[in-house]
Amino acid sequence: MLAIVLGHGTCRAAADLSIRVPWGNTMRWARGRGGDAMWEVRMQFEGTTVFASAVGALALMTVLAGCGGGGGGGGSALPVGTGIGTGGAPTQKFAVGGSITGIVNAGPVILGNNGGDLLTLSANGQFSFDRRLNEGDSYRVSVSSVPSTQSCSAMFSEGVVSTANVTSVKIACGPAQRGAFHEAAPMLTPRANHTLIAMPDSSVLAMGGSDLASNPVRSVERYDPASNSWRAAGTLPFPALRAAALLPSNGKILIAGSVAQTQLYDPASQAFTPTGSFANLAASAPLQFVTLLDGRVLASSGSEAQIYEPNTGTWNATAAPSSIHADGGTFTLLSDGKVLAAGGFNHTEAIPDSEVFDPSSQKWTAVGPLAISRTGHTSTLLPNGKVLVIGGLTGTVSHYCACGLRTVAAAELFDPMTNTWSSAGALTTARIGFSATLMTTSQVLVVGGNIQGRTEQIPNDGFRTTIPTPLKSVEAYDPLTNSWRNWGEMQLSRTLHAATLMTDGNLLITGGSAAAFDNQATPDPLEIAWHNEWVIGSEIGW
């Protein structure tokens, strides 16, 4: 299709006019928006795009003559799908948009792109800026204005337009900080090490996990924030849940268990449907999923990796990372669509290795290592495109004893522009088994966890571990100042819990466990008996 934009003219006689030339070309012009005199002229040949020809030029001159000539300069492009490039070839125009959640009735949220092109939004859902961009153009979406009672952050908000509309921008809004947690309804089944998934309809799914005896929990349940209640939502088709990921293309959840075949869970029907099977991922090794920007899912287990194609329901082998990140390491989707793998455990010690996976080339590239080897840490993408790594364990395991592992307080920042790490300060309290969540203020909230118990070898008596100290403290990281502060406390101490940011911008915390003393009067910490117990209740806060 050929699009020609005319300047201001004098012809306003018709809104649509077709001129036929001998071999069936059709030239069509239509008045631009707002009643101005900008015209779009399109020429087609039997449904196939063609370029200007002598006949087309003759027809165009006929149109111009009927409109009093080409008019003056100063015409601007209409918001159509194509335009004329300098070489005469059509230049495709693409939209920039995404989704927004958490808007309430306090007032509209105003977004901007590249410092202008303001867009006012009063409802949650999909959005798209009016101004279209060419392939190769840069975009940068920002939050220009929010009501005083709300905060909003933008993710995956800048990049370069490729050959399709940009739909990956995510705007998360929520209440301005309140600084307190309040009690929420407890889950139907107590569990720790489970998965929480925030759904687009504002509900939250809880899947898998384990009980205090480390037995897998197979039940699925769903939380409704409007009624503050949980309800049963199905049973896993295999004993243990290893990984889960929400598929943006269909709203279903891809899950993997202790068998090679994966399943799709439909939240609407609560039904599980078999889908593709892993070809080379060990069924017993730790497994991690990352949903890519194009909707595919990267899976890594041990030293292997595969990619799930939602359109075909199949898994395909891809390049494997050079280090074992899936066991205690993290996989983080970057703003440009690549994936950062950092840290992990190689069966004997925590590792500092970091590498980046490019889905387009399906290659891994080694980047700068962490300053501190760590496993069991968290990794959070910030709105500025950097990645914050927090806490975890560092050290060495030998002779089946975790004697050499200790909790880490230091945090680090990965900069994808330089592929290097820098200091991000330190937690007030080193911890493991905590949650870290990006809030709508762009701060990262670190909740709970525990201080690793000290394991020591006792002569002629094997190994004993001091009680791990459960935490109720909450700390917040501010990327603007690269600093930490004490934020407050949960109502209950807990570790190995799950946390997710709901679509209304509040943080839901569920389950987990806490260690309890059996005999607090014993002065020797190595002689104190202790046990794990459930943290039954849930909490909501921010």
Side-chain angles (χ1 to χ4, degrees), residues 84-170:
I84 295 289
T86 56
T91 302
Q92 185 73 31
K93 295 281 189 176
F94 298 103
V96 174
S99 62
I100 185 168
T101 60
I103 291 182
V104 296
N105 296 326
V109 173
I110 301 176
L111 307 179
N113 185 22
N114 292 332
D117 195 16
L118 298 182
L119 177 64
T120 300
L121 301 173
S122 300
N124 297 308
Q126 301 296 313
F127 68 85
S128 178
F129 288 92
D130 287 339
R131 185 177 301 161
R132 278 17 181 187
L133 300 180
N134 296 319
E135 178 185 352
D137 286 349
S138 297
Y139 64 91
R140 184 173 185 178
V141 178
S142 58
V143 180
S144 298
S145 176
V146 296
S148 60
T149 56
Q150 284 208 287
S151 60
C152 298
S153 63
M155 299 293 294
F156 307 106
S157 56
E158 57 182 293
V160 176
V161 176
S162 182
T163 57
N165 292 332
V166 176
T167 60
S168 56
V169 179
K170 297 185 183 300

Side-chain angles (χ1 to χ4, degrees), residues 158-461:
E158 57 182 293
V160 176
V161 176
S162 182
T163 57
N165 292 332
V166 176
T167 60
S168 56
V169 179
K170 297 185 183 300
I171 309 295
C173 298
Q177 180 179 330
R178 294 194 298 263
F181 282 92
H182 63 272
E183 184 178 357
M187 288 188 294
L188 303 177
T189 304
R191 66 187 81 202
N193 277 319
H194 53 291
T195 298
L196 284 184
I197 299 178
M199 302 301 293
D201 65 357
S202 79
S203 67
V204 176
L205 282 173
M207 310 181 80
S210 60
D211 61 20
L212 287 178
S214 297
N215 296 315
V217 176
R218 296 182 62 177
S219 63
V220 179
E221 46 190 297
R222 194 165 189 161
Y223 177 72
D224 178 14
S227 62
N228 185 31
S229 61
W230 293 87
R231 61 179 174 85
T235 302
L236 293 173
F238 32 64
L241 178 69
R242 296 170 65 205
L246 177 65
L247 301 180
S249 60
N250 56 25
K252 296 181 180 180
I253 297 173
L254 176 69
I255 62 173
S258 54
V259 296
Q261 187 174 66
T262 54
Q263 300 265 338
L264 288 177
Y265 172 74
D266 186 342
S269 64
Q270 300 180 20
F272 292 88
T273 304
T275 185
S277 297
F278 294 133
N280 60 351
L281 296 184
S284 59
L287 176 69
Q288 295 202 37
F289 281 172
V290 179
T291 303
L292 304 175
L293 285 184
D294 60 9
R296 296 181 297 165
V297 177
L298 173 69
S300 181
S301 177
S303 58
E304 302 295 336
Q306 290 192 15
I307 291 180
Y308 178 76
E309 302 281 352
N311 293 334
T312 60
T314 57
W315 289 93
N316 299 308
T318 187
S322 59
S323 299
I324 301 177
H325 301 287
D327 191 355
T330 54
F331 290 76
T332 308
L333 182 65
L334 302 176
S335 297
D336 62 2
K338 297 178 182 179
V339 177
L340 170 69
F345 189 72
N346 65 2
H347 307 302
T348 59
E349 62 183 351
I351 62 174
D353 304 358
S354 302
E355 47 194 314
V356 170
F357 177 72
D358 185 345
S360 61
S361 64
Q362 298 196 19
K363 294 181 179 180
W364 292 87
T365 302
V367 295
L370 289 158
I372 299 176
S373 301
R374 61 182 83 204
T375 182
H377 52 281
T378 62
S379 182
T380 306
L381 177 67
L382 303 177
N384 60 15
K386 296 182 179 181
V387 176
L388 177 68
V389 162
I390 310 167
L393 294 171
T394 190
T396 303
V397 172
S398 60
H399 305 296
Y400 303 100
C401 167
C403 307
L405 294 178
R406 65 185 187 278
T407 45
V408 178
E412 301 184 49
L413 272 180
F414 177 75
D415 186 345
M417 301 299 293
T418 61
N419 287 334
T420 58
W421 294 90
S422 60
S423 172
L427 294 161
T428 301
T429 304
R431 59 188 75 198
I432 185 73
F434 60 94
S435 61
T437 309
L438 178 69
M439 306 303 291
T440 58
T441 59
S442 298
Q443 298 178 70
V444 177
L445 211 60
V446 170
V447 174
N450 71 83
I451 301 174
Q452 176 78 357
R454 187 177 75 256
T455 304
E456 297 184 2
Q457 186 171 9
I458 310 301
N460 304 317
D461 198 17

Side-chain angles (χ1 to χ4, degrees), residues 463-486:
F463 299 100
R464 293 185 181 177
T465 304
T466 58
I467 184 171
T469 305
L471 301 169
K472 66 166 59 175
S473 62
V474 180
E475 302 186 44
Y477 172 79
D478 187 346
L480 294 179
T481 60
N482 193 32
S483 62
W484 292 87
R485 65 181 176 88
N486 290 319

